[in-house]
Amino acid sequence: MIKRLVVLAAFGLVGLLLLPVAVIATANAQATIAGAPSAEAVDDIPARLLALYQQAVVDRCPTLPWSVVAGIGKVESNHARLGGVELHDGTVSPPIIGVGLGGSGGTQEIRDSDGGLYDNDEIYDRAVGPMQFIPQTWASVGMDGDRNGVADPHDVDDAVPSAAAYLCGAGGGDPARLRQAIWTYNHSWEYVDEVLAWAARYATLTPAGPADPVLIAAVLGSPRLEIYEAGRQDIQAGRIDNRVLAVLLRATEQWTLSVSSLQTGHSKCVGGGSYEGCSISNHWYGRAFDVYRVNGELVTATNTEAYAFTVWLSALEAEIRPDEIGSPWPALAGLPGYFHDAAHLDHVHAGHD
């Protein structure tokens, strides 16, 4: 009888119904979306895993955002650090064993009479390793990423590229199917939202060019953002600046917001209308948003949460801080880019140059 200490995985488990993946091998390809690691990614993700998350999509699925794989690694095992485990030449020790799919779990004795870790019925229904594969799924999709002759779900060099390949096979390389692909990895929309929130924080923003599919999926799926239908179409079509999406997503950590204006539905000219020589609104370029309710209450001079939201906007990091902020409070006139006028008594406006 072999006794081993296993660590209870406190995060999501990989769904039971996982299908084999089609691995896309592109040895010389470059990841095309999701940007370079942000300062938060560099600070939070161990260097070995940060490089591995990025390389996994280059090798297995160039159009899958590497930050999504990193988001899964964060939610599933805190980047192979859950419960104080350590990496030894890529393998986590002690093993990370999730709760039983029936709800039981914890530190247990593993009876492994023939040397095979997954022959024991007690753990066969438990997700394992830093990316939390169930053994049945690993038997179908697990790969020997480091080519050492063993495909081991407890080895990050095997588990991370296997996760990237699985997500790709589930449609994760297509921005329109990204949310569904993550849901296939773990059948929980709350899990999807959590993964995407981390993914959005891990990648730097590129205001110009195609909108980041991570941000699009996260914003459109957020239960704390109420966005009018034409505005949702603006987002889905990639017409909205990444900085706008990032600010809205970040705000949902504290507030529920109702958005009344993005690009469609707003005038071309500041102050209304469309005429030659006018000052063109940032809304026209997809670089601004208006919020008319905060935490379910209309924006008025007495809405304290809307006031706090306005102050928060001015304190964001330079990368995403709006260049113009308008609201009902004249007393905030000293904030960077702030303005107050009669047209902004019932909403908070934020725009980027």
Side-chain angles (χ1 to χ4, degrees), residues 224-227 256-260 290-294 296:
R224 303 196 72 181
L225 287 172
E226 178 188 357
I227 303 172
T256 297
L257 304 179
S258 298
V259 179
S260 59
D290 293 342
V291 167
Y292 73 100
R293 279 199 308 233
V294 177

Side-chain angles (χ1 to χ4, degrees), residues 3-13 76-78 80-87 92-100 104-110 117 123 126-130 132 154:
K3 295 183 179 180
R4 305 177 191 169
L5 179 66
V6 297
V7 179
L8 171 65
F11 300 104
L13 305 178
E76 296 290 4
S77 68
N78 193 22
R81 295 176 299 202
L82 180 65
V85 302
E86 298 179 353
L87 283 178
V92 293
S93 179
I96 299 173
I97 306 295
V99 298
S104 63
T107 300
Q108 61 172 310
E109 183 180 86
I110 299 177
L117 179 61
I123 65 166
R126 300 170 187 270
V128 299
Q132 289 290 277
H154 295 286

Side-chain angles (χ1 to χ4, degrees), residues 89-213:
D89 194 28
T91 302
V92 293
S93 179
I96 299 173
I97 306 295
V99 298
L101 299 183
S104 63
T107 300
Q108 61 172 310
E109 183 180 86
I110 299 177
R111 299 177 179 85
D112 191 355
S113 59
D114 62 0
L117 179 61
Y118 307 119
D119 288 348
N120 184 288
D121 290 339
E122 291 185 19
I123 65 166
Y124 199 62
D125 69 342
R126 300 170 187 270
V128 299
M131 302 303 283
Q132 289 290 277
F133 282 97
I134 61 172
Q136 299 98 312
T137 300
W138 183 258
S140 298
V141 306
M143 62 181 60
D144 179 13
D146 54 9
R147 299 176 183 174
N148 65 355
V150 179
D152 183 0
H154 295 286
D155 185 342
V156 295
D157 296 318
D158 297 342
V160 170
S162 296
Y166 171 73
L167 288 165
C168 195
D174 178 355
R177 300 171 64 192
L178 182 58
R179 286 184 61 84
Q180 184 65 42
I182 300 170
W183 183 88
T184 304
Y185 197 93
N186 183 322
H187 294 181
S188 163
W189 291 114
E190 291 183 358
Y191 175 89
V192 172
D193 292 337
E194 187 175 5
V195 167
L196 286 170
W198 279 109
R201 297 171 69 158
Y202 282 155
T204 56
L205 298 177
T206 305
D212 191 318

Side-chain angles (χ1 to χ4, degrees), residues 152-312:
D152 183 0
H154 295 286
D155 185 342
V156 295
D157 296 318
D158 297 342
V160 170
S162 296
Y166 171 73
L167 288 165
C168 195
D174 178 355
R177 300 171 64 192
L178 182 58
R179 286 184 61 84
Q180 184 65 42
I182 300 170
W183 183 88
T184 304
Y185 197 93
N186 183 322
H187 294 181
S188 163
W189 291 114
E190 291 183 358
Y191 175 89
V192 172
D193 292 337
E194 187 175 5
V195 167
L196 286 170
W198 279 109
R201 297 171 69 158
Y202 282 155
T204 56
L205 298 177
T206 305
D212 191 318
V214 169
L215 287 170
I216 290 175
V219 167
L220 290 179
S222 174
R224 303 196 72 181
L225 287 172
E226 178 188 357
I227 303 172
Y228 65 115
E229 184 56 35
R232 296 181 67 85
Q233 293 173 10
D234 285 340
I235 295 170
Q236 186 65 65
R239 294 191 289 263
I240 304 303
D241 191 288
N242 283 329
R243 294 168 296 180
V244 167
L245 301 182
V247 170
L248 289 173
L249 184 62
R250 184 78 63 83
T252 62
E253 296 173 9
Q254 301 182 54
W255 298 283
T256 297
L257 304 179
S258 298
V259 179
S260 59
S261 186
L262 288 166
Q263 183 185 64
T264 301
H266 195 279
S267 62
K268 177 179 180 179
C269 301
V270 174
S274 176
Y275 54 91
E276 285 295 322
C278 72
S279 178
I280 300 177
S281 169
N282 275 317
H283 284 282
W284 184 255
Y285 299 109
R287 299 195 301 246
F289 66 86
D290 293 342
V291 167
Y292 73 100
R293 279 199 308 233
V294 177
N295 287 354
E297 299 294 329
L298 292 173
V299 173
T300 66
T302 59
N303 186 332
T304 57
E305 288 300 313
Y307 179 91
F309 170 62
T310 304
V311 174
W312 173 86

